[in-house]
Amino acid sequence: MQIHDLPYPDPGVPDARSGPRFLWWLFRNQLGGQLRSLAWGLVHFVSVSALPFCVGLAVQAVVDRSGSRLALAGGLLALACAGSAIGDTFLHRTAITNWITAAARVQQLLARKASSLGSGLTRRVSAGEVVAVSTGDIEKIGWFVEAVSRFTAAALTVVIVCVGLVVYQPALGVVVAVGLPVLAVAVLPLLPRATRRADFQREKAGRATELASDTVAGLRVLRGIGGEELFLDRYRSASQEVRHAAVRSARMWSLISAIQVLLPGLLLIAVVWHGVGLAREGRITIGELVATYSSVMILTYPLRHFEEIAMAYSFSRPSARRAARVLSLERATSEEGSLAGDPPSGDLYDPATGVLAPSGRLTAVVCGDPDAAGLLAERLGGHPAEEGTSVLLGGVPLDELPLPVARTAVLVQDKDPVLLSGTLRELLDVPASGDIDPREALTAAQCDDVLAALVQGSLGTEDPLDARITERGRSLSGGQRQRLALARSLITDPEVLVLDEPTSAVDSHTEARIAEGVRNLRSGRTTVVFTSSPLLLDRADRVVLVHEGEVVAVGVHRELVHKEPRYRAVVTRETPSTEDDDALTGVLEEIEETA
């Protein structure tokens, strides 16, 4: 896999049982790139390590006044320099390729998981954690996957050089062969503490990211209640905790770096001290002493990769653990399904609650608990939070349909829809039947004032569809965002459209017009609206009251509001024991005025 071949046709099924298992799975799935990086790493490191032998040969040739051996040393030196340059170039190229392709694979896996889980994802993990995994964490995961091959090349080079020194000059080679492994493992006792500090820093940074994400998402509300300074102080406190944790982690890594500078220096002193004594005794030549000394000095370069792999693993392990936690989440139902073919049509029925939405009609569902309403809406769309009896569409269980087919048949718009940044034309460019014109959907959703606001906020734009929407539509009010999201759902024109509180943020007159527009535009299609608004309920063909997870009443709004105390309690915001005729009369009058 090369960068220009991204994205992957299929990123695979990850081993998400733990962070280390996930890292190992990534490594195995890039074995070809890892082997190329290892090969070029060996070319580079071995060429660099061969330079001291070439220098030692040249020095000894000068001492012996041998022109032929000096020419040979020069040729070998040029060859080693060329190998070092070529190896370094392609090592960098393959290493960066491994890094980016590993990060891209993780991104694809996260995107696929988010698409599979839908809105259920943010109920099981925080949005801030998902953002942290899909941004900073993937870079650290890619770093470790890429660093493994370079570390392996460096370790093999150290072994090759040690063996070569023992063969080349046993008296000094034994000292180096014993000293270098000691250098490599000298910092191991410090790694657990450094890893714990790095994990603590990443945990604090993840919490700060979550707090920042949640604060930005709720900034409009915070400004409304004057809570900006409170949350700003909280973020300041969280960021200071991150800073302190980062300083403590950096101190430990700086100590490890200092040790890896100090110990090779001591080894160099020992090699020179012992070598000078051997040279004075005539047991080694000046060239052999220079070659051995230079080899030890050069080997500090590959030895640095021992520190890097420790750092990469320490920083990537918590990132991989968070990614594995997200990727291990599973849907309550299978994505594959056992049935094939076109999406079914007919009545939508939930055996668990008894909710029935007749085909081609507008059904309103009233729940006293908003959270229960949201869960039921997702269940009707084939996205149950827990395993159980499947919802039936035309007698066909949604659980047995492939996920893309089920989503084509039933579309669920939750109570907090998200608008992505871009032009309005791009926002409305969604998979659709093609039978609903975007302007018809915008009109039905009463978006005229929204279009005017978007044109006014986009300089030089005359066509509202070319107006730009800011990130998450923050420049629009809650009601304006809600109506644009409703228009987007109407354009899709699914067989069944499930709307969860689609007008909770609009005024009553606009709500009445939206109810009429949706009813007319969805004529002949099945529409389910979860709401407690009398204006929407009065225009529904059928109203279903769900209490404690079961259907307890079915009828039309005007009938239920008189005969069913529990229904009246939800619609008029009363307790079931309260008999307030004035409140009921006010509700009916409001319906008459807006009709």
Side-chain angles (χ1 to χ4, degrees):
M1 172 62 69
Q2 299 296 319
I3 295 177
H4 59 76
D5 296 325
L6 293 173
Y8 287 94
D10 179 13
V13 179
D15 186 349
R17 289 176 290 177
S18 66
R21 288 177 182 271
F22 180 58
L23 291 173
W24 173 241
W25 178 84
L26 284 174
F27 177 83
R28 287 190 292 107
N29 278 270
Q30 292 189 199
L31 194 57
Q34 296 291 345
L35 291 176
R36 286 192 294 271
S37 183
L38 173 62
W40 288 115
L42 284 173
V43 171
H44 172 61
F45 289 127
V46 170
S47 297
V48 170
S49 301
L51 293 175
F53 293 97
C54 299
V55 172
L57 183 61
V59 170
Q60 191 60 42
V62 171
V63 172
D64 296 339
R65 299 180 181 275
S66 173
S68 59
R69 280 190 293 161
L70 183 60
L72 176 62
L76 294 175
L77 190 61
L79 183 62
C81 289
S84 174
I86 296 173
D88 189 31
T89 299
F90 285 94
L91 171 62
H92 181 77
R93 182 185 182 93
T94 54
I96 295 300
T97 299
N98 289 338
W99 187 334
I100 294 178
T101 51
R105 187 188 295 272
V106 178
Q107 278 186 323
Q108 282 187 249
L109 291 171
L110 291 171
R112 186 174 67 179
K113 182 60 65 174
S115 175
S116 171
L117 295 176
S119 60
L121 174 62
T122 52
R123 285 202 304 268
R124 301 167 73 175
V125 294
S126 68
E129 182 171 359
V130 177
V131 171
V133 172
S134 59
T135 53
D137 284 341
I138 61 171
E139 294 185 5
K140 293 176 174 58
I141 293 172
W143 176 28
F144 173 75
V145 173
E146 171 270 322
V148 170
S149 55
R150 288 190 292 112
F151 163 73
T152 305
L156 290 175
T157 300
V158 170
V159 173
I160 292 172
V161 171
C162 288
V163 172
L165 284 175
V166 171
V167 174
Y168 177 68
Q169 177 43 253
L172 288 177
V174 171
V175 176
V176 176
V178 172
L180 282 178
V182 174
L183 297 183
V185 302
V187 297
L188 289 182
L190 299 177
L191 289 180
R193 181 177 298 181
T195 301
R196 287 194 298 270
R197 292 189 178 185
D199 290 350
F200 184 72
Q201 177 196 351
R202 293 297 305 161
E203 179 183 351
K204 291 294 184 181
R207 290 179 181 175
T209 301
E210 293 177 19
L211 179 59
S213 176
D214 294 342
T215 301
V216 171
L219 191 57
R220 183 184 293 271
V221 177
L222 292 177
R223 286 178 174 173
I225 62 176
E228 307 102 308
E229 288 300 324
L230 174 63
F231 276 79
L232 181 60
D233 289 340
R234 291 182 182 178
Y235 183 74
R236 285 196 185 104
S237 176
S239 63
Q240 288 302 311
E241 291 180 1
V242 175
R243 183 178 67 85
H244 290 308
V247 170
R248 293 184 71 248
S249 178
R251 285 174 179 169
M252 184 56 64
W253 287 112
S254 64
L255 176 60
I256 292 175
S257 298
I259 292 175
Q260 289 204 324
V261 171
L262 174 64
L263 294 183
L266 295 177
L267 179 60
L268 277 175
I269 293 173
V271 168
V272 171
W273 183 274
H274 183 56
V276 168
L278 294 176
R280 292 177 62 183
E281 296 174 2
R283 296 170 58 184
I284 63 172
T285 64
I286 297 298
E288 291 172 338
L289 176 60
V290 171
T292 305
Y293 166 80
S294 301
S295 296
V296 176
M297 186 172 60
I298 289 293
L299 282 179
T300 58
Y301 170 54
L303 280 175
R304 301 292 296 180
H305 289 74
F306 286 74
E307 176 191 356
E308 183 189 5
I309 195 64
M311 291 183 66
Y313 181 71
S314 299
F315 280 92
S316 66
R317 189 179 65 172
S319 297
R321 185 171 61 245
R322 277 193 294 271
R325 182 165 59 246
V326 174
L327 295 174
S328 64
L329 300 176
E330 297 293 342
R331 286 175 50 85
T333 59
S334 172
E335 296 184 36
E336 301 300 329
S338 58
L339 301 177
D342 296 330
S345 60
D347 296 345
L348 184 68
Y349 176 64
D350 179 19
T353 60
V355 172
L356 172 65
S359 176
R361 302 179 66 184
L362 174 60
T363 302
V365 180
V366 178
C367 291
D369 183 359
D371 292 333
L375 293 174
L376 179 54
E378 292 194 355
R379 177 177 173 79
L380 292 178
H383 315 296
E386 300 176 353
E387 293 186 8
T389 306
S390 174
V391 171
L392 305 177
L393 177 59
V396 178
L398 286 181
D399 290 357
E400 297 181 11
L401 295 174
L403 184 59
V405 176
R407 286 185 170 173
T408 300
V410 184
L411 172 66
V412 179
Q413 176 181 303
D414 62 23
K415 60 172 61 68
D416 187 24
V418 175
L419 303 182
L420 302 179
S421 59
T423 65
L424 181 58
R425 192 184 306 277
E426 293 170 341
L427 175 71
L428 302 180
D429 184 17
V430 293
S433 66
D435 296 335
I436 304 297
D437 184 78
R439 297 188 184 276
E440 293 178 348
L442 291 167
T443 300
Q446 299 298 308
C447 293
D448 292 342
D449 64 316
V450 185
L451 301 181
L454 289 174
V455 171
Q456 185 178 4
S458 300
L459 297 178
T461 300
E462 297 181 358
D463 188 348
L465 294 179
D466 293 327
R468 293 199 63 80
I469 299 174
T470 57
E471 186 237 346
R472 297 179 68 93
R474 299 191 192 282
S475 61
L476 303 173
S477 68
Q480 290 173 328
R481 292 197 299 270
Q482 205 169 53
R483 282 177 280 162
L484 283 179
L486 176 59
R488 179 178 58 188
S489 298
L490 292 174
I491 290 173
T492 304
D493 190 32
E495 179 67 27
V496 179
L497 176 60
V498 180
L499 304 173
D500 187 6
E501 295 289 354
T503 59
S504 59
V506 301
D507 61 82
S508 58
H509 292 282
T510 305
E511 187 176 31
R513 293 194 296 270
I514 289 175
E516 195 62 33
V518 171
R519 181 185 178 89
N520 294 334
L521 196 64
R522 292 285 301 171
S523 177
R525 292 287 202 180
T526 307
T527 306
V528 182
V529 181
F530 284 80
T531 183
S532 60
S533 167
L535 300 172
L536 286 176
L537 294 170
D538 190 55
R539 285 162 175 78
D541 299 316
R542 192 168 186 266
V543 178
V544 179
L545 174 63
V546 177
H547 181 69
E548 295 183 353
E550 294 183 356
V551 173
V552 294
V554 178
V556 294
H557 170 64
R558 293 173 185 259
E559 173 188 336
L560 292 175
V561 80
H562 283 289
K563 296 182 179 180
E564 177 55 57
R566 289 172 294 189
Y567 179 82
R568 184 166 59 250
V570 176
V571 174
T572 64
R573 310 297 194 269
E574 298 175 359
T575 61
S577 61
T578 302
E579 299 293 343
D580 193 341
D581 294 335
D582 292 337
L584 176 57
T585 302
V587 171
L588 295 176
E589 288 178 353
E590 182 181 3
I591 294 172
E592 295 293 343
E593 290 176 0
T594 55

